[in-house]
């Protein structure tokens, strides 16, 4: 019997070239060169990169596309963003949240994202956002895996009913326990919230993903408590610390002790480069801090580091287009991860690593994995990041769900070619001896 689909001449993120991918019943069957079988459908990838889909493991879908409602963030700070969101919350309706979320999902799917971990604010006693996003999760499930985090935006203890609301949200089916220790009233209250929330997660067998130390305060050290509680409660591999920006200002001696503790506890780190380069360091004059966590040092210690988009057109960030290559591109710059190996690793931070953080068991480019794939107008991950390459085809379970044209410009210059693409020149190709190729 013919397989449903064969993708020909694919370049893979590992550096292998000219590979065929055979798909049947929505799953990848075989990957290899020159496979002698004919598919019901054939796609010629023509040396383009074929990757598992992008995964965004840190997002706020209840706030997305609300830019300007009810006003704009004038200072650009995290704190004004939180205040502005507080003004918008009473005005939200179930339908409006669903409508914005689904519009964003369309955008994300077109950009090759097929899994999102979204925090959802539980401080509104109506739990309107929770109910709306649970609805969205069910409706979008055939095309996108949406995982929800119960997030006490205004503080677990600082906001009157947040703890009870968080438990209600988990009872309704929210997947992950969230937190925001740096926003509690005192450092001690923040630490207590970490212990409380990790215990809650352990009791319920859930994962934890906390906004942690998202500040410029070198003394904000909730990641230390998070790692400790993860270890104490046996939550290794199920806990992530999001943002971790205070780490950029911490004393180096202290960090030399902290990072091995995070690694030992199996806590993953989620950096959000687009947002934190904008909202951190706002009280600085010069030199001005980048407000970005220590990716390179954490990588060296074996910690899983994934990237998230965090915000698209909301109270905290006016830009964004659901493009995880934009996120990786910013990470390359703010973290100065410009070696070829580091750039390839940044591609994994928007694909494989966030899939690991979310625990997506059917994810990957291997026989038996779901045939969720993206064909990019690029030869390899480095070129994909450089160009924020067009997503030529997005496949979900072997079926094309989105297509985009390649980026081309028509020129009107005498003596020059009529059309230019933006792909790298031939002398920089990925030949066998090329340094672009993983050894
Ligand atoms: Fe966030």
């Amino acid at each position: 019997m013919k397989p449903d689909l064969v993708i020909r001449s694919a370049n893979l993120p590992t550096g292998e070239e000219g590979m065929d991918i055979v798909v049947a019943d929505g799953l990848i069957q075989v990957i290899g060169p020159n496979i002698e079988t004919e598919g019901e459908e054939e796609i010629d990838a023509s040396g383009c990169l074929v990757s598992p889909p992008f995964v965004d493991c840190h997002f706020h879908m209840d706030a997305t596309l609300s830019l300007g409602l009810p006003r704009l963030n004038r200072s650009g700070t995290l704190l004004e963003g939180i205040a502005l969101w507080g003004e918008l919350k009473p005005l939200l309706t179930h339908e409006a949240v669903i409508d914005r979320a689904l519009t964003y999902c369309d955008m994300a799917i077109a950009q090759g994202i097929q899994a999102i971990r979204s925090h959802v604010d539980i401080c509104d006693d109506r739990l309107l956002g929770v109910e709306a996003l649970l609805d969205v999760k069910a409706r979008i499930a055939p095309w996108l895996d949406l995982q929800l985090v119960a997030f006490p935006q205004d503080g677990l203890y600082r906001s009157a009913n947040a703890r009870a609301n968080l438990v209600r949200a988990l009872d309704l089916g929210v997947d992950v326990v969230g937190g925001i220790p740096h926003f509690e009233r005192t450092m001690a209250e923040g630490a207590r919230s970490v212990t409380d929330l990790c215990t809650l997660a352990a009791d319920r067998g859930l994962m934890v993903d906390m906004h942690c130390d998202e500040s410029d305060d070198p003394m904000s050290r909730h990641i230390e408590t998070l790692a400790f509680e993860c270890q104490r409660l046996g939550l290794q591999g199920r806990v992530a610390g999001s943002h971790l920006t205070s780490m950029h200002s911490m004393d180096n001696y202290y960090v030399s002790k902290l990072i091995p503790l995070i690694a030992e506890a199996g806590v993953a780190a989620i950096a959000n480069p687009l947002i934190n380069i904008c909202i951190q360091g706002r009280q600085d004059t010069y030199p001005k801090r980048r407000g970005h966590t220590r990716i390179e040092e954490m990588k060296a210690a074996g910690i899983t580091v994934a990237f998230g988009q965090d915000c698209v057109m909301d109270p905290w960030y006016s830009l964004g287009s659901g493009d995880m290559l934009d996120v990786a591109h910013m990470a390359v710059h703010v973290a100065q991860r410009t070696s070829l190996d580091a750039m390839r690793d940044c591609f994994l931070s928007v694909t494989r690593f966030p899939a690991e953080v979310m625990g997506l068991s059917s994810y990957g480019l291997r026989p038996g994995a779901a045939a969720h794939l993206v064909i990019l107008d690029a030869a390899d991950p480095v070129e994909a990041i450089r160009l924020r390459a067009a997503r030529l085809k997005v496949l979900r379970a072997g079926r094309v769900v989105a297509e985009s044209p390649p980026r081309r410009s028509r020129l009107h210059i005498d003596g020059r070619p009529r059309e230019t693409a933006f792909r790298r020149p031939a002398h920089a190709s990925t030949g066998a001896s090329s340094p672009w190729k993983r050894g």
Side-chain angles (χ1 to χ4, degrees):
M1 213 171 78
K2 284 183 175 181
D4 301 323
L5 169 70
V6 181
I7 300 173
R8 303 284 181 192
S9 303
N11 287 1
L12 307 185
T14 49
E16 292 159 292
E17 297 175 1
M19 303 294 275
D20 298 340
I21 302 168
V22 180
V23 174
D25 298 325
L27 302 176
I28 297 171
Q29 272 202 329
V30 193
I31 302 174
N34 306 313
I35 296 174
E36 289 185 14
T37 186
E38 190 186 335
E40 291 286 349
E41 188 189 346
E42 298 249 338
I43 295 175
D44 183 4
S46 303
C48 286
L49 176 65
V50 179
S51 169
F54 296 107
V55 177
D56 183 359
C57 63
H58 189 112
F59 195 62
H60 293 263
M61 201 175 279
D62 48 0
T64 195
L65 305 184
S66 67
L67 181 67
L69 301 175
R71 62 180 177 84
L72 291 168
N73 183 339
R74 301 287 174 202
S75 68
T77 60
L78 171 68
L79 295 182
E80 185 176 346
I82 293 174
L84 211 167
W85 174 238
E87 292 170 34
L88 176 56
K89 265 192 274 189
L91 310 176
L92 295 175
T93 66
H94 187 82
E95 294 70 27
V97 173
I98 289 178
D99 193 42
R100 285 193 281 101
L102 288 175
T103 301
Y104 177 75
C105 288
D106 291 344
M107 198 187 289
I109 291 164
Q111 298 273 37
I113 294 175
Q114 291 190 31
I116 297 176
R117 172 181 277 183
S118 174
H119 296 254
V120 52
D121 188 358
I122 52 79
C123 291
D124 172 3
D125 290 341
R126 299 172 297 168
L127 292 187
L128 183 143
V130 169
E131 288 180 351
L133 290 193
L134 283 168
D135 206 343
V136 170
K137 177 180 171 169
R139 284 161 70 167
I140 207 68
W143 303 280
L144 186 145
D145 301 305
L146 179 58
Q147 194 176 70
L148 298 177
V149 186
F151 176 47
Q153 173 74 78
D154 300 327
L156 186 73
Y157 304 135
R158 192 170 164 183
S159 173
N161 301 318
R163 197 185 184 288
N165 289 349
L166 189 138
V167 171
R168 281 170 59 213
L170 297 177
D171 288 343
L172 286 170
V174 169
D175 309 276
V176 181
V177 176
I180 187 164
H182 56 274
F183 198 67
E184 303 295 345
R185 286 195 170 89
T186 65
M187 207 60 85
E189 283 284 90
R192 189 163 73 86
S193 79
V194 173
T195 301
D196 189 1
L197 290 163
C198 286
T199 305
L200 193 62
D203 289 347
R204 289 176 171 243
L206 297 176
M207 292 187 283
V208 176
D209 186 341
M210 276 187 210
H211 284 63
C212 202
D213 303 325
E214 189 183 7
S215 75
D216 298 317
D217 176 3
M219 300 308 289
S220 183
R221 293 173 171 187
H222 297 300
I223 181 59
E224 180 185 77
T225 311
L226 186 63
F228 173 78
E229 293 298 348
C230 176
Q231 183 100 18
R232 182 178 72 85
L233 294 162
L235 292 169
Q236 289 91 341
R238 286 160 49 191
V239 175
S242 280
H243 296 288
L244 308 178
T245 54
S246 69
M247 208 185 277
H248 69 77
S249 290
M250 285 176 183
D251 172 72
N252 286 326
Y253 171 77
Y254 173 69
V255 171
S256 75
K257 178 194 171 198
L258 175 66
I259 286 183
L261 290 174
I262 300 171
E264 190 185 318
V267 172
I270 300 173
N272 298 290
L274 288 173
I275 307 312
N276 288 128
I277 196 65
C278 290
I279 64 177
Q280 306 309 133
R282 286 277 175 161
Q283 282 81 18
D284 289 359
T285 54
Y286 290 93
K288 202 173 188 52
R289 288 169 289 181
R290 292 173 190 222
H292 207 263
T293 195
R294 302 195 186 203
I295 295 176
E296 210 66 50
E297 288 168 85
M298 287 196 282
K299 294 292 306 183
I303 296 166
T304 298
V305 181
F307 302 155
Q309 187 162 217
D310 206 4
C311 305
V312 168
M313 289 185 273
D314 69 8
W316 296 272
Y317 189 58
S318 304
L319 307 176
S321 64
D323 187 353
M324 293 308 292
L325 287 173
D326 225 5
V327 176
H329 191 266
M330 181 59 79
V332 165
H333 288 78
V334 300
Q336 299 179 331
R337 304 203 76 216
T338 49
S339 73
L340 292 175
D341 276 345
M343 285 193 279
R344 273 191 290 257
D345 195 73
C346 285
F347 188 83
L348 296 179
S349 284
V350 292
T351 51
R352 189 206 299 169
F353 300 148
E356 287 173 9
V357 168
M358 287 181 65
L360 302 177
S361 55
S362 64
Y363 183 90
L365 207 51
R366 57 181 165 79
H372 305 336
L373 300 164
V374 182
I375 305 177
L376 292 137
D377 188 19
D380 59 39
V382 174
E383 189 165 61
I385 292 173
R386 181 176 68 84
L387 297 176
R388 274 79 94 215
R391 274 117 272 212
L392 301 174
K393 289 185 193 298
V394 177
L395 292 93
R396 178 80 169 173
R399 199 173 68 82
V400 175
V401 293
E403 292 179 279
S404 298
R407 183 179 166 201
R408 303 283 184 269
S409 289
R410 193 145 182 79
L411 295 179
H412 303 277
I413 302 173
D414 289 342
R416 297 300 302 156
R418 297 300 299 271
E419 190 178 85
T420 187
F422 297 85
R423 301 278 290 269
R424 63 166 181 266
H427 64 261
S429 77
T430 55
S433 60
S434 166
W436 297 73
K437 197 158 179 171
R438 200 178 281 274

